[in-house]
Amino acid sequence: GPSRGAPAAPGRDGLPVPGAGAPEPGAAPAPAPHPAAAQIVDLLAAKGARLAELEGAGGMDAARALDLCAEALGDCAEIARDEGGVVADLIDEAVDLMVLLQLEGSRSALSDAVALLCQVRCEGEACLAA
């Protein structure tokens, strides 16, 4: 009688193409393009309010307030480094500036430091709006 023959090898068409389900290399599936910026804006808003409170109470010396500013920026730098990009570069520059202001430790350095934090926050908000 007719020979049965070997079982048919699965056709190429039936095989899943490796990596077919993966998103395009350039595609970012994340809903928020700048989660770091959002966190930074929130963090600086909170720190800013705290600084204003302390300064308003008059119970704060410039050096202590500058430490708080530097601490806030340090936290921001950590958040930004995870994401990289524009926000991280911006924060790194601000951190360098903050170090100089801390060394100065004067009242005017404190005003500059607070302005710097506001600037970083505004840049973060600009990233979010973009």
Side-chain angles (χ1 to χ4, degrees), residues 34-112:
H34 297 289
Q39 280 182 275
I40 286 164
V41 168
D42 291 348
L43 190 147
L44 290 180
K47 291 276 185 184
R50 173 121 177 83
L51 278 169
E53 231 174 77
L54 289 165
E55 221 183 341
M60 169 165 281
D61 60 307
R64 172 87 186 99
L66 279 163
D67 285 348
L68 277 177
C69 291
E71 205 176 279
L73 259 189
D75 292 346
C76 292
E78 252 170 64
I79 296 167
R81 253 178 232 124
D82 289 343
E83 189 175 289
V86 187
V87 180
D89 295 344
L90 174 83
I91 305 268
D92 282 341
E93 281 176 38
V95 167
D96 292 344
L97 244 169
M98 188 64 77
V99 171
L100 298 174
L101 292 171
Q102 273 187 289
L103 288 172
E104 195 181 313
S106 67
R107 269 301 200 206
S108 67
L110 176 55
S111 302
D112 291 345

